[in-house]
Amino acid sequence: MRKTNVLGVYAVLLTLLTGMSVVSAQEVDPKKHGAASTKAAAPGAAEKSLLIVTPEYIIGPEDVLEITVWKNADLSKQVQVRPDGRISLPLLGDISAVAKTPTQLTEEISTGLRAYMENPTISIMIKDVQSYNIYVLGEVNKPGKFPLKSKTTLLQGITVAGGFTPMAARNKIVVFRFTKDGEGQTKLKASYDDIVVRDGSSQNIELKPGDQIVVPSETMVVLPSR
């Protein structure tokens, strides 16, 4: 493993041990907080790492959005994306927000509101990033939710979760991932032996926010009848 990869994995492990959380760039505003905020982040305090929210940012479950409809306070709202990937808005009801950029969601809301008003002007701000996590479940030593702060592969995700238990069916790994429209999930399969021993490096996929990695036990794997 190259030095850069080793440092990357070490950084992820250090993050988990120190309990650092991911925050959006909007949470830290030097103009508002000034030098006082800098002093507050003294050595020894729990530091927060910044995740820069770009126009290409993909909205995920639990993200907090501030949706503003110009000159209409009743329709403006701060909402959190539900685990099912949807948000609820006045007049429009439930809308799928997950797997979309703020621009795409803005256009969808604008289209819906045109039935009630002429040329609505919408703006969306990511107030709090909560969705950049992966979930590792099943036969790993430390199952749970882990922050995703840099490029992370499937094997790195399993390593962060403490590796396989003796009962793990390591060649039957399944990754559940939201589809691009956010309306469902796809199922990706991977084999540890294929990745490590055989030419199956394509199965060592790069993880995305919201991915659920499931490592079943050997007792759950049903052998085909002969």
Side-chain angles (χ1 to χ4, degrees):
M1 184 179 287
R2 293 182 300 178
K3 184 177 181 181
T4 52
N5 287 340
V6 173
L7 292 176
V9 175
Y10 176 77
V12 173
L13 293 174
L14 181 61
T15 295
L16 295 175
L17 291 173
T18 55
M20 291 189 291
S21 59
V22 179
V23 297
S24 65
Q26 286 88 345
E27 287 187 74
V28 181
D29 189 343
K31 294 181 180 179
K32 291 182 179 180
H33 300 286
S37 293
T38 304
K39 292 180 180 179
E47 297 179 358
K48 290 185 176 182
S49 63
L50 294 180
L51 176 64
I52 303 301
V53 177
T54 67
E56 294 77 29
Y57 176 80
I58 303 298
I59 297 170
E62 300 183 33
D63 281 347
V64 178
L65 314 178
E66 184 172 296
I67 301 174
T68 303
V69 181
W70 189 56
K71 290 187 176 181
N72 198 318
D74 291 337
L75 297 180
S76 299
K77 194 174 182 182
Q78 181 169 300
V79 296
Q80 184 171 34
V81 182
R82 301 196 302 264
D84 65 359
R86 297 175 178 272
I87 58 175
S88 297
L89 296 175
L91 299 180
L92 302 181
D94 287 352
I95 296 177
S96 177
V98 76
K100 297 174 182 176
T101 65
T103 299
Q104 291 171 330
L105 184 57
T106 296
E107 292 175 354
E108 183 173 340
I109 294 174
S110 296
T111 299
L113 289 179
R114 287 193 187 103
Y116 304 95
M117 63 183 67
E118 186 177 355
N119 298 323
T121 301
I122 315 296
S123 67
I124 296 179
M125 178 181 292
I126 310 296
K127 294 292 292 183
D128 192 6
V129 175
Q130 296 289 339
S131 65
Y132 265 52
N133 300 289
I134 58 172
Y135 304 82
V136 189
L137 311 171
E139 293 298 326
V140 291
N141 288 301
K142 297 179 181 179
K145 173 181 174 181
F146 303 94
L148 187 64
K149 296 185 178 181
S150 61
K151 182 177 179 180
T152 304
T153 65
L154 174 59
L155 291 188
Q156 288 172 331
I158 292 173
T159 300
V160 170
F164 298 116
T165 68
M167 292 297 295
R170 64 184 190 178
N171 295 323
K172 299 293 183 179
I173 304 169
V174 179
V175 179
F176 294 92
R177 172 173 293 175
F178 278 109
T179 56
K180 290 184 178 180
D181 60 9
E183 297 292 340
Q185 286 185 318
T186 58
K187 186 166 67 172
L188 309 173
K189 298 181 179 181
S191 164
Y192 178 84
D193 287 351
D194 284 348
I195 296 172
V196 176
V197 180
R198 307 178 187 96
D199 186 19
S201 57
S202 61
Q203 297 181 39
N204 191 24
I205 59 174
E206 180 180 345
L207 298 176
K208 295 183 178 181
D211 278 356
Q212 301 172 45
I213 304 167
V214 179
V215 181
S217 67
E218 289 287 358
T219 57
M220 293 176 61
V221 178
V222 179
L223 296 176
S225 58
R226 295 182 179 179

